[in-house]
Amino acid sequence: MSKDIRIKKGLNINLIGAAEQTTSKAVLSNVYALNLDDFHGITPKMLVKQGAEVKAGEPLFYNKNKEDMFFVSPVSGELVEIIRGARRKILTLKILADKTQEYLEHKTINIEKSDAESIKTFLLQSGGWSFLKQRPYDIIANPEITPKAIFISGYTTAPLAADANYVLNGKEVELQAAISALGKLTPGQVHVSVGGAGNSPLEKLDGITLHKVSGPHPAGLVGTQINKIDPINKGEVAWTVTPQDLVIIGELLLTGKFNAERIIALAGSVVKAPKYYSTKIGAEISTFLYGSGVNQDKFRLINGDVLTGSKTHPEGYLGFYNNTVTAIPEGDDYEFFGWNKPVFNKISSTRALTFSWMQPKKKYDLDTNTNGEHRAFVVTGLYEDVFPLDIYPLQLLKACMVKDLDEMEQLGLYEVAPEDFSLTEFICISKQPHQQIIREGLDLLHQEIG
C-alpha cells in the first residue's frame, strides 16, 4: 500500500545556474576512465593487462571478495593506463576509445520466466550489479544476502541536480524491464518515490509500490524515504538504485549490451549556458564543459551536486554514478569582520545575521567559502532543524568520531549513508566534515560486525 511522504524538516538551497531542459550531444571523449574510489569497499583484481583491447561491456576486473562480481568497460578501445598508488593499489583505469564502438553481447534472458538466481547471475557477469547499492554500509550490494525491499527515488531535491523526470523521459520500456527483474530479487516490495506534482515516467510502472513525496531537501534522498517507509533495523538489508542506473540495467536485460550512455546536467552560475548533455560514464568533463562556456577563470568544478560531489577539474572524468557536474565560483577571498555583519546574499537555516528566510524563492550565487574555520562541535540544535530522519544526528556523529560501536548501532548508523549528512555539513557552524565522519563510521562498523 502506497503512502504519501511529507517532509517538513530540511532546507532548499536555491542556486543560480539550473540546467535548461534541453539536451545536446557531448563531444566524443578520446579517453574514458573508471575511478576505483567510486566502488567503495571493493578490492579489485584485474582481468586484463595494460595495452589490451577491450569491448564495451567487457569485464576489466572483479571483486576479490566476490569473484563472480565483474566490473566492465564503458567503451571499447585500448586499456592504455592503469594508475596505481601506494602498495600498488589500483586507483584509475583509462581506456582510449575506438572511433567505432564494439559491444560484448550477452545472451539475453526472458525476465518473466527467469528465477532470481538467473537474473542475479546475469547482472553479476554483465556488469549490471555494480549499480545496486545496499544499506547498511552504503556499499555495492552483497548478492548472497536477500534484501527486505528495494528503494528507488525519482524525486530530485538536491541543489542543481539533474531532474529525474526529464532524464527518464522516453525510457519507460527499459525502466519496466529493470523493475520486473529486480522485483524477483526481493520477497518484499520495490518502493518507488516520485514528486507530488506527478509527470514522472516511473509512476505507471507495474510491480512497484508508489509513494508521492513532498517537502524540502533532503526529501529526495533515498535515505529519507527509507526512514519514512520502512526503516532498516539491525540484521536487515535494503537495496537502492538510482533511476538512470535502472535504465542501463533495463537495456542490458533487453539487448544484452552494456550501454554506458548517461544524460547529465551541467549546471552552476559559472556556466554560460547550463543544460543537459548526452555522454557516457567516465567521459572527459572537458568534452561538455566548454561547449556551454564558462564566464570566469577561477571556479570550482564538482563531480556531482554541490552537497555530495567531489572536487575535480576540466581534465577529470565523469564519476561512475554521477549525473550532474556543477561549476560554482571559487571562494578564496576573506571577508573582514564577515562573521559580524548582516548578510543578504547568502543562505542560512537560521535568522541570525542572514536574511535568506525573508526571500524563500530567491536564488543565490554561492561560492566555496566555508566562512569559518574547523573547530570543535558546538551544540546548537541546528542539525535537527534540517534532519528529517528519526535519528539524533549530533550524537551519531560524535559516536562515530570516538568509534563507539555500541552507540553507533543504537543511534541508527545502519540506516544512513554519508549523503544523508550533507545538509547538516552545509549548515555546520563548526565546519566539521560530517560525510567523511559517517563514511569512516560505516567502514568501521562493517569491518567489525560485517
Side-chain angles (χ1 to χ4, degrees), residues 108-299:
T108 58
I109 59 175
N110 186 317
I111 299 171
E112 297 303 319
K113 294 181 180 179
S114 297
D115 60 12
E117 281 304 313
S118 300
I119 292 169
K120 192 181 294 184
T121 299
F122 178 86
L123 292 176
L124 285 166
Q125 292 180 349
S126 63
W129 196 268
S130 55
F131 297 111
L132 302 178
K133 296 283 194 74
Q134 76 166 52
R135 299 200 183 194
Y137 311 127
D138 188 39
I139 56 175
I140 292 173
N142 183 346
E144 296 175 6
I145 300 175
T146 301
K148 71 169 183 174
I150 297 174
F151 294 85
I152 298 150
S153 175
Y155 182 44
T156 306
T157 56
L160 301 181
D163 182 80
N165 292 353
Y166 179 72
V167 299
L168 296 179
N169 193 30
K171 299 294 184 180
E172 290 82 358
V173 174
E174 291 86 350
L175 291 168
Q176 185 61 69
I179 291 290
S180 299
L182 294 181
K184 295 194 172 191
L185 302 185
T186 175
Q189 298 171 318
V190 178
H191 296 280
V192 175
S193 301
V194 298
N199 302 322
S200 171
L202 294 164
E203 285 187 55
K204 297 178 182 178
L205 299 179
D206 295 326
I208 65 170
T209 300
L210 186 69
H211 305 275
K212 297 288 185 78
V213 187
S214 59
H217 190 65
L221 293 185
V222 71
T224 303
Q225 296 159 14
I226 293 173
N227 184 265
K228 302 305 178 187
I229 297 168
D230 188 7
I232 301 167
N233 299 309
K234 184 177 180 180
E236 294 180 334
V237 169
W239 291 354
T240 68
V241 58
T242 69
Q244 275 217 75
D245 294 342
L246 272 182
V247 173
I248 296 178
I249 292 172
E251 188 169 348
L252 185 54
L253 288 161
L254 292 169
T255 68
K257 295 179 182 179
F258 186 96
N259 181 3
E261 187 172 298
R262 208 185 270 298
I263 297 175
I264 64 103
L266 176 63
S269 61
V270 166
V271 183
K272 288 181 180 178
K275 60 180 177 179
Y276 289 80
Y277 282 92
S278 173
T279 185
K280 287 189 176 183
I281 290 169
E284 295 166 289
I285 290 175
S286 58
T287 57
F288 50 83
L289 175 65
Y290 295 118
S292 283
V294 291
N295 53 29
Q296 61 186 74
D297 295 330
K298 296 182 70 175
F299 60 89

Side-chain angles (χ1 to χ4, degrees), residues 38 244 262 264 303-304 309-310 318-325:
D38 286 343
Q244 275 217 75
R262 208 185 270 298
I264 64 103
N303 217 329
S310 58
L318 180 66
F320 190 83
Y321 299 101
N322 290 342
N323 62 1
T324 304
V325 172

